[in-house]
């Protein structure tokens, strides 16, 4: 009995020690990132490069529209903020569509995403519901928001810029010394 009791105490101490060390490692990384990003200014050139690579990774390639879908509100808001900064878009060309679980409120979700993205609820198309939903949705899950902007020429520019950047990166003979 004493041995089992001591084992429980030892496990608790080890768990606490591991948690403390993890928090120290996480804080060190946060500090390194803060130092690394201090002084970085996202101007239009860097912004457009970031935007084009992000769009290549996350955007649809179907011609005619710039479309990105995601459930992360910070990601979509950042994408849209950068888009507005770079291209001064015609706000009338934005549309949104939500993909929700069947237990979610369409009205609440539209109001949420409308506020986050600064796009009027009137610009939201019909919501799609996943009828396969069987379990309760997590309270912080707001569904997937599909953000659409209608401009074929701009979509082509973004895709070509991203493809050109990828080509340039593939032509570099990467070594530790060339990375700086």
């Amino acid at each position: 009995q004493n041995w089992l009791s001591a084992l429980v105490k030892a496990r608790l101490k080890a768990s606490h020690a591991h948690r403390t060390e993890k928090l120290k490692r996480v804080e060190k990384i946060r500090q390194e990132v803060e130092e690394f990003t201090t002084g970085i200014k996202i101007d239009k050139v860097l912004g457009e490069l970031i935007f084009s690579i992000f769009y290549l990774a996350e955007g649809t390639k179907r011609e005619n529209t710039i479309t990105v879908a995601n459930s992360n509100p910070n990601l979509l808001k950042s994408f849209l903020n950068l888009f507005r900064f770079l291209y001064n878009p015609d706000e009338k060309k934005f549309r949104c569509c939500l993909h929700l679980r069947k237990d979610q409120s369409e009205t609440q979700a539209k109001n949420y995403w409308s506020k986050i993205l600064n796009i009027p609820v009137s610009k939201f198309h019909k919501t799609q519901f996943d009828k396969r939903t069987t379990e309760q949705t997590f309270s912080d899950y707001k569904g997937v928001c599909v953000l659409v902007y209608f401009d074929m020429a701009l979509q082509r520019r973004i895709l070509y810029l991203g493809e050109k950047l990828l080509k340039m990166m593939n032509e570099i003979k990467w070594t530790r010394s060339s990375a700086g």
Side-chain angles (χ1 to χ4, degrees):
Q1 185 65 29
N2 288 342
W3 178 79
L4 287 175
S5 179
L7 189 58
V8 167
K9 287 179 186 177
R11 285 183 182 149
L12 287 173
K13 276 177 105 175
S15 174
H16 178 72
H18 288 296
R19 192 171 24 255
T20 301
E21 288 304 311
K22 176 187 172 187
L23 291 174
K24 286 179 186 176
R25 289 189 305 271
V26 167
E27 184 56 33
K28 181 180 180 212
I29 292 168
R30 281 193 185 124
Q31 288 176 355
E32 289 171 358
V33 168
E34 285 298 321
E35 290 173 20
F36 177 77
T37 57
T38 299
I40 292 178
K41 301 292 183 233
I42 300 179
D43 61 7
K44 289 199 177 226
V45 172
L46 180 57
E48 197 165 22
L49 293 174
I50 291 169
F51 190 87
S52 66
I53 290 297
F54 178 83
Y55 189 75
L56 273 182
E58 289 290 322
T60 62
K61 311 318 177 274
R62 189 180 74 209
E63 216 166 271
N64 302 331
T65 65
I66 297 163
T67 304
V68 174
N70 210 287
S71 63
N72 183 331
N74 286 325
L75 190 140
L76 278 182
K77 184 177 181 178
S78 296
F79 177 82
L80 191 51
N81 285 342
L82 186 55
F83 186 70
R84 286 175 169 143
F85 167 71
L86 294 170
Y87 304 112
N88 193 28
D90 178 355
E91 295 289 326
K92 292 180 281 196
K93 291 183 176 184
F94 283 114
R95 297 290 183 277
C96 291
C97 175
L98 298 180
H99 294 260
L100 303 177
R101 296 168 59 93
K102 70 180 178 181
D103 65 325
Q104 292 181 283
S105 164
E106 179 178 12
T107 302
Q108 287 178 349
K110 282 184 177 180
N111 289 333
Y112 172 82
W113 285 104
S114 173
K115 183 178 178 184
I116 292 289
L117 301 176
N118 195 24
I119 294 176
V121 172
S122 62
K123 297 291 184 179
F124 282 69
H125 289 295
K126 185 177 182 201
T127 300
Q128 304 294 314
F129 286 94
D130 184 351
K131 293 176 176 58
R132 301 168 299 169
T133 307
T134 58
E135 296 177 13
Q136 182 78 22
T137 302
F138 297 112
S139 61
D140 60 344
Y141 178 72
K142 305 300 183 189
V144 173
C145 181
V146 181
L147 176 64
V148 181
Y149 185 78
F150 295 93
D151 190 324
M152 184 186 321
L154 184 54
Q155 186 215 30
R156 286 179 180 155
R157 175 183 170 80
I158 293 164
L159 287 173
Y160 294 155
L161 182 59
E163 290 166 5
K164 176 65 176 171
L165 185 57
L166 290 177
K167 184 178 178 189
M168 290 168 58
M169 291 171 62
N170 286 328
E171 290 172 353
I172 294 173
K173 303 294 184 224
W174 294 99
T175 63
R176 287 215 176 256
S177 61
S178 72

